[in-house]
Amino acid sequence: SQTIHQWPATLVQPVGSPLSLECTVEGTSNPNLYWYRQAAGRGLQLLFYSVGIGQISSEVPQNLSASRPQDRQFILSSKKLLLSDSGFYLCAWNPGTAQETQYFGPGTRLLVL
Amino acid sequence: GESVGLHLPTLSVQEGDNSIINCAYSNSASDYFIWYKQESGKGPQFIIDIRSNMDKRQGQRVTVLLNKTVKHLSLQIAATQPGDSAVYFCSEADSSYKLIFGSGTRLLVRP
C-alpha cells in the first residue's frame, strides 16, 4: 500500500531563516506531487505541483520554492522566511494521471516568529 | 476566476441525526468531485468521490449527490456520530492535474 510521509511535524523558525520541508511517498512510482498551505481555519491553497522529476509548476508567486530531486521526494524551501509563511503545509500525491483523488500527508505546522 | 464555495461555514447536528453539507461550484468544465474530511491538526482524508456521469454515489454512511444543472454538490452523512466532527471540504477537478478546494464547513456533533 502507499504511504506518504512529511517531516518535520512541527517547526518554529525565526524570520529570515531558511526552510526545508520534505515529503516522500512509498509504494508507488511516477506520482504527481503537490504542496499546499493552509492558514488557520481556512481552506487549502495550492503552492506547487510536479508531474515528474525536475518538473515544478508554481501556482502563486511567493517566497517559497519547490524541488523534486527524486521520483518520490518533494521538497519545499525558502531562503528567508517571512512572518506570513506561517501555516500548515500539506503534501499530497496522486497516481500520476489527471482527475484522480489526491492523498494527503500528515502535514507540517510552521510557525515563523 | 473559477471557484468552489460552501453555503454554510458551520453545521451543528444532534448525534444520530443525518447531516447534509452543501457545496456550489462554478467551473462548468469540472467533471470530477471529491469530498474530504479534515480533523484538527491532521491532513485531509478522502471520503468519497463522484464523476459527472453520475448523480449519486453511496459509501458507508455517506452519500454524495451531484446536480450538474445548478452546479451543486452535497455530502450526506447518515446517523452522525461524534467521530464525524471535523471540517469537510469539497473539491473539483477538470482535465488538469489540479484540484480546487472550497473553504470548508465545520461539522459539530452534539451529544
Side-chain angles (χ1 to χ4, degrees):
Chain A
S1 64
Q2 298 85 11
T3 310
I4 180 168
H5 303 278
Q6 287 186 246
W7 63 89
T10 306
L11 192 59
V12 181
Q13 292 285 95
V15 169
S17 64
L19 174 73
S20 181
L21 303 182
E22 188 165 345
C23 171
T24 59
V25 181
E26 296 178 354
T28 187
S29 58
N30 302 315
N32 292 334
L33 296 171
Y34 304 82
W35 277 114
Y36 291 86
R37 177 169 58 203
Q38 185 176 33
R42 303 295 293 274
L44 285 75
Q45 179 188 32
L46 179 63
L47 302 175
F48 302 95
Y49 70 96
S50 171
V51 299
I53 296 174
Q55 300 180 59
I56 308 295
S57 296
S58 175
E59 288 297 297
V60 292
Q62 58 203 314
N63 185 42
L64 302 169
S65 62
S67 62
R68 184 170 176 175
Q70 300 180 43
D71 182 44
R72 289 168 291 177
Q73 184 184 33
F74 205 22
I75 297 173
L76 184 68
S77 303
S78 174
K79 293 182 179 178
K80 288 186 178 182
L81 284 169
L82 306 172
L83 288 174
S84 58
D85 291 324
S86 294
F88 192 43
Y89 288 83
L90 289 156
C91 182
W93 74 277
N94 73 8
T97 57
Q99 292 195 335
E100 288 290 341
T101 301
Q102 291 181 18
Y103 299 95
F104 286 83
T108 293
R109 188 162 303 282
L110 172 66
L111 179 61
V112 182
L113 300 175
Chain B
E2 304 290 2
S3 66
V4 176
L6 297 177
H7 294 305
L8 298 173
T10 302
L11 177 64
S12 180
V13 300
Q14 189 73 38
E15 180 179 356
D17 287 352
N18 296 334
S19 302
I20 300 176
I21 300 172
N22 295 302
C23 179
Y25 66 95
S26 57
N27 184 357
S28 56
S30 293
D31 52 9
Y32 177 55
F33 304 88
I34 309 168
W35 280 99
Y36 286 91
K37 172 186 180 183
Q38 186 177 27
E39 296 176 320
S40 181
K42 297 183 179 180
Q45 181 182 19
F46 170 85
I47 302 174
I48 192 167
D49 60 357
I50 189 168
R51 297 195 184 270
S52 60
N53 60 352
M54 302 174 68
D55 297 323
K56 178 179 180 179
R57 190 164 188 217
Q58 289 184 290
Q60 188 176 18
R61 282 201 308 118
V62 294
T63 301
V64 55
L65 299 176
L66 176 63
N67 186 331
K68 296 179 286 294
T69 302
V70 295
K71 296 189 182 68
H72 185 266
L73 193 67
S74 68
L75 176 70
Q76 300 179 2
I77 304 174
T80 313
Q81 302 170 359
D84 295 326
S85 293
V87 177
Y88 290 81
F89 292 96
C90 62
S91 62
E92 61 176 318
D94 51 21
S95 58
S96 73
Y97 293 98
K98 299 181 288 185
L99 293 179
I100 300 172
F101 285 83
S103 56
T105 293
R106 183 174 301 278
L107 177 64
L108 301 176
V109 182
R110 303 188 305 271

